[in-house]
Amino acid sequence: ITAVSRASSPYAAPPSRFAGVVNVREHGALCNGVTDDFRALTRAAVAAGAGGRVIVPACASFYPVSSAWSITQEGITVIGAGKNSMIVATGTNNAIEITGAHGFSISDIAVGGVTGSGHGIVLGSVASPAHRGRVSNVFCRSVGGNCLEVVRSIITVVIQPRFTGNESNPFTFTGSGGTAQKGINIQGSSLNNAMTILHPAIEGFATHGVDVASPTETLYIYGGSIEGNGHGSGLATNANVRFAGSRQLIIDGTYMEVVDGGTNLHRQIIISGSFGSVLRGVIASALGVAPRGSIEIINSAGTRIENGVVDSITIDANSTRTVLSGVSYGHNGGTITDNGTRTVKEFLHNASNSHLQVGGSGTNAYINFGENASFEQWDTNALLPAWLAYASAANPTLLRTGT
């Protein structure tokens, strides 16, 4: 019988730690809310290297950083233990910056910043993008800028972001009771494409929950809630979500709500200068915003709103080929004001008024079917089958009334 040493056996005890897996506490991070942990966090990322894993443990306080924790290693994973693994920017800096680290993953941490700080997490820079990444289950409430600032990033997914003013920070620091300006801000770049935001909870920020600038293409927001944003500074451009000059942006099954105290300034959704935007199954109730629309469409083409519940919708004269299909509106007394061209309105339901309340001076606009609790109408053309027919909204044919 040949003896086999335990050291050379395939069943030998594993090493105490795996190569490429590092703990920031092992590299000098104190997490006491006082001592600057910037250098310790940087050492940990360098030690993990490309494809490595950095563990950010929960502790009794937060990790202060006087400069942004810069993560540049491709394929790196940063993982915390939830809300109590918190990185706080203590100056005008951002908390975390990810540049050049294609295939990165950052999850289960919290970010914050003192009054006057920068952003929570920044993805990419003009010179060094960060592509094909994942940001998952990150908490953010209080930073001087925005919780997530996207400069240049393609095919990145943001999963269950908890960017909310409705939860308190786990620790107290200067400005910890305030809220960021925006939940997610996607800067205008030809390299901010094919992004996905899944099941967000983005609530209570000053100007926007999600703000998307031109020429971003193909953003998909699915589920969750984006509500109570846009309450600060009284700007007419404030909204839960704003698409500004973007293309092929889709919101699917997301809940939105806003009460503006009657100032009629901020919106649920603003679609401005955009092409091919789709709102599907969106609940966008509002109070006090009917004069400008809880959903406002400005200088946009090919917008489609389907199977949603909204208060009011306004379409300006520079918008064309808007489709409203299966929309239930008027839930706080709102209306549809269509001043666009070639708008199609079909299968509309008015929830609170005694008539359809579809107004405006739009041209070549069509209505196929509309109803409310005590009134139904079809508009049809006798030369076509009813299921194909559309007739001018200015000259509807009333076929049936009743309950």
Side-chain angles (χ1 to χ4, degrees):
I1 300 174
T2 303
V4 178
S5 71
R6 183 171 178 80
S8 62
S9 168
Y11 305 105
S16 59
R17 58 186 297 276
F18 294 99
V21 179
V22 302
N23 187 314
V24 298
R25 301 297 293 274
E26 295 174 352
H27 287 265
L30 298 179
C31 194
N32 60 14
V34 178
T35 305
D36 188 0
D37 285 325
F38 158 68
R39 288 181 175 80
L41 297 176
T42 301
R43 285 194 297 268
V46 171
R53 180 180 293 253
V54 178
I55 308 299
V56 184
C59 49
S61 190
F62 56 87
Y63 296 88
V65 291
S66 61
S67 297
W69 180 14
S70 178
I71 298 172
T72 61
Q73 295 76 18
E74 288 204 17
I76 196 168
T77 295
V78 175
I79 185 167
K83 200 174 175 181
N84 286 349
S85 297
M86 189 173 197
I87 316 296
V88 175
T90 57
T92 58
N93 55 291
N94 306 315
I96 299 173
E97 295 176 358
I98 303 174
T99 55
H102 305 320
F104 69 89
S105 175
I106 183 165
S107 64
D108 298 288
I109 66 167
V111 291
V114 300
T115 303
S117 67
H119 306 300
I121 299 175
V122 177
L123 299 184
S125 67
V126 173
S128 184
H131 298 325
R132 302 182 302 279
R134 183 180 71 169
V135 178
S136 177
N137 195 31
V138 171
F139 172 82
C140 172
R141 172 193 168 106
S142 305
V143 289
N146 307 316
C147 284
L148 179 62
E149 183 77 4
V150 182
V151 182
R152 291 181 74 182
S153 188
I154 292 177
I155 321 175
T156 291
V157 59
V158 182
I159 304 171
Q160 292 182 311
R162 293 165 59 208
F163 301 162
T164 173
N166 293 338
E167 287 187 46
S168 60
N169 282 300
F171 310 108
T172 300
F173 48 87
T174 304
S176 61
T179 58
Q181 293 298 303
K182 302 176 184 179
I184 299 176
N185 185 58
I186 302 176
Q187 293 186 14
S189 169
S190 59
L191 289 180
N192 281 338
N193 299 331
M195 293 189 64
T196 303
I197 302 171
L198 298 176
H199 301 287
I202 302 177
E203 308 164 316
F205 294 110
T207 63
H208 302 91
V210 177
D211 194 11
V212 186
S214 173
T216 301
E217 295 183 357
T218 320
L219 170 70
Y220 184 59
I221 302 174
Y222 181 82
S225 66
I226 303 174
E227 56 180 307
N229 301 287
H231 56 77
S233 66
L235 295 176
T237 55
N238 290 3
N240 276 319
V241 176
R242 179 174 65 167
F243 295 163
S246 345
R247 292 183 287 183
Q248 297 300 123
L249 307 187
I250 300 171
I251 304 179
D252 193 342
T254 302
Y255 177 82
M256 299 187 190
E257 182 177 295
V258 63
V259 177
D260 73 355
T263 61
N264 297 315
L265 289 176
H266 57 275
R267 303 285 162 266
Q268 298 284 12
I269 302 170
I270 296 175
I271 299 172
S272 177
S274 297
F275 175 80
S277 302
V278 178
L279 311 180
R280 181 187 301 121
V282 171
I283 298 178
S285 59
L287 181 63
V289 296
R292 293 257 325 259
S294 53
I295 298 176
E296 187 171 19
I297 302 170
I298 307 165
N299 192 28
S300 296
T303 303
R304 185 177 183 91
I305 304 174
E306 58 185 37
N307 302 329
V309 178
V310 306
D311 181 35
S312 53
I313 300 172
T314 61
I315 305 168
D316 83 339
N318 295 315
S319 295
T320 185
R321 302 193 309 278
T322 303
V323 176
L324 310 180
S325 179
V327 174
S328 178
Y329 70 98
H331 286 262
N332 285 293
T335 64
I336 293 175
T337 302
D338 174 21
N339 292 313
T341 59
R342 300 174 64 188
T343 304
V344 173
K345 299 179 282 287
E346 59 183 8
F347 303 103
L348 302 180
H349 174 259
N350 190 307
S352 61
N353 291 296
S354 59
H355 54 89
L356 281 177
Q357 292 279 346
V358 178
S361 57
T363 58
N364 296 319
Y366 300 90
I367 295 179
N368 187 36
F369 176 88
E371 68 167 350
N372 59 39
S374 61
F375 176 88
E376 294 184 355
Q377 76 174 37
W378 287 262
D379 297 322
T380 188
N381 184 324
L383 299 178
L384 293 173
W387 61 275
L388 281 175
Y390 288 89
S392 169
N395 298 290
T397 302
L398 178 64
L399 298 184
R400 182 162 71 91
T401 62
T403 57

